[in-house]
Amino acid sequence: MIIIISIAIPLTLLVALGVAGKLRKPKPSTPIEIKGQVFPKDFLWATGEDAYQHEGGNLNNDWARWEQQSPSPIENGDQCGQCIDFYNRYEEDFKLAQADHQNAHRIGLEWSRIESEEGHYDENVLNHYEEMLRSLKDKNFTVFLNLWHFTLPLWAADKGGWENETLMERWFAYVELCATRFGKYVDYWSTMIDAQIYALSGYALGDIPPNKQDQKLAFSIYRTMIYAHAHAYKIIKTTAETPDSGKEPQIGQCYFFFHYEPKG
């Protein structure tokens, strides 16, 4: 009898709440008057590309190697491959964005292209990225530049990636090089994208490289990401040339999060 009562009471309560919810009539939201399709003043209307996901032909990093495993770790055996070939067709995309009356754009840099071997920087790649950024400024875009989004050069991954403390020295050098080389073109810097997702999916869930399942290590890597971002901020702030806009460069990171608003 005790068991029956202990179950019946919560069930009765749930039914009552359900009925109340059905009968409840939420107050309608206040109508918002929209006069034409006009963005607010100084609104930045933009699109963007991430290096590995859009450039194509990036084969010198840990993600490309991971994708090529057999059996494939990815549904349908999909690989990034040549992707949309943004690395070679960026000018077409910039013109499309310009025709859409966009006034800002974000691109990302692929660390494994720039530093293909430890301590060796590819001048041709640096020149290519500089041409991209110059093209954006020539078209009067406000420029956003991201430095890192998950992929690591093979030489870095083979040394343990962010678990190896010596990688931080290479990261600092990479950031300083980019700040020195590209500062005059960049209005907004992003040091990295979704660092918390990288730590969670790469080190706790094991879904992406380096495919580990260690919660303690995941927290440690996230702390490493925070430090990497904070120090990169200081490097850019003290090294990057002031962009043509004359304003001090703005520095942060792209951070994925959910935003909820009440329905009623």
Side-chain angles (χ1 to χ4, degrees), residues 64-74 77 79:
R65 181 167 62 187
W66 173 63
E67 291 174 0
Q68 294 166 13
Q69 292 178 7
S70 181
S72 175
I74 302 173
Q79 296 184 16

Side-chain angles (χ1 to χ4, degrees), residues 6-22:
S6 66
I7 295 175
I9 291 175
L11 285 176
T12 304
L13 180 60
L14 286 174
V15 171
L17 289 174
V19 172
K22 291 290 185 179

Side-chain angles (χ1 to χ4, degrees), residues 17-18 23 30 51 57 65 71 85-87 110 117 169 231-232 234:
L17 289 174
L23 296 176
T30 303
R65 181 167 62 187
D85 196 24
F86 174 74
Y87 191 76
E110 176 58 36
E117 300 176 15
E169 297 176 8
H231 202 81
K234 294 177 182 178

Side-chain angles (χ1 to χ4, degrees), residues 33-241:
E33 185 178 359
I34 300 176
K35 297 180 179 180
Q37 299 296 318
V38 180
F39 287 125
K41 183 181 178 182
D42 299 325
F43 184 86
L44 295 178
W45 166 232
T47 49
E49 296 84 17
D50 295 308
Y52 185 67
Q53 294 163 267
H54 296 90
E55 286 183 352
N58 281 312
L59 301 176
N60 193 40
N61 62 53
D62 54 343
W63 275 63
R65 181 167 62 187
W66 173 63
E67 291 174 0
Q68 294 166 13
Q69 292 178 7
S70 181
S72 175
I74 302 173
E75 187 175 354
N76 300 321
D78 293 337
Q79 296 184 16
C80 189
Q82 199 57 31
C83 199
I84 61 171
D85 196 24
F86 174 74
Y87 191 76
N88 296 306
R89 301 180 63 181
Y90 66 89
E91 193 64 41
E92 298 174 51
D93 285 337
F94 292 169
K95 289 178 179 179
L96 287 171
Q98 190 177 38
D100 202 26
H101 303 288
Q102 296 182 25
N103 59 359
H105 204 86
R106 189 199 80 202
I107 66 170
L109 304 180
E110 176 58 36
W111 188 0
S112 68
R113 279 192 193 270
I114 292 175
E115 192 174 2
S116 55
E117 300 176 15
E118 185 173 4
H120 170 74
Y121 301 113
D122 191 319
E123 192 63 27
N124 291 330
V125 172
L126 290 167
N127 287 336
H128 189 85
Y129 280 128
E130 189 166 6
E131 289 172 8
M132 283 188 187
L133 293 166
R134 187 183 299 113
S135 177
L136 286 172
K137 296 307 290 186
D138 288 345
K139 294 175 178 58
N140 297 315
F141 283 106
T142 295
V143 176
F144 290 71
L145 183 65
N146 181 64
L147 298 181
W148 182 76
H149 191 186
F150 291 12
T151 58
L152 287 173
L154 287 177
W155 58 262
D158 290 342
K159 287 189 170 185
W162 293 107
E163 296 172 62
N164 189 330
E165 294 180 358
T166 63
L167 182 62
M168 198 64 71
E169 297 176 8
R170 299 309 319 155
W171 165 251
F172 296 158
Y174 165 69
V175 172
E176 184 172 0
L177 171 69
C178 295
T180 302
R181 188 69 176 256
F182 306 130
K184 62 182 178 181
Y185 304 106
V186 181
D187 301 292
Y188 293 88
W189 292 83
S190 167
T191 60
M192 54 186 64
I193 293 178
D194 296 340
Q196 83 286 14
I197 299 297
Y198 177 77
L200 172 66
S201 297
Y203 287 89
L205 302 178
D207 292 335
I208 64 173
N211 308 104
K212 298 190 176 182
Q213 294 180 318
D214 185 330
Q215 291 190 12
K216 184 177 179 181
L217 182 57
F219 280 110
S220 176
I221 292 298
Y222 192 30
R223 286 194 295 269
T224 298
M225 298 283 93
I226 293 171
Y227 177 73
H229 162 72
H231 202 81
Y233 170 92
K234 294 177 182 178
I235 293 173
I236 297 169
K237 204 70 174 177
T238 57
T239 306
E241 184 178 341

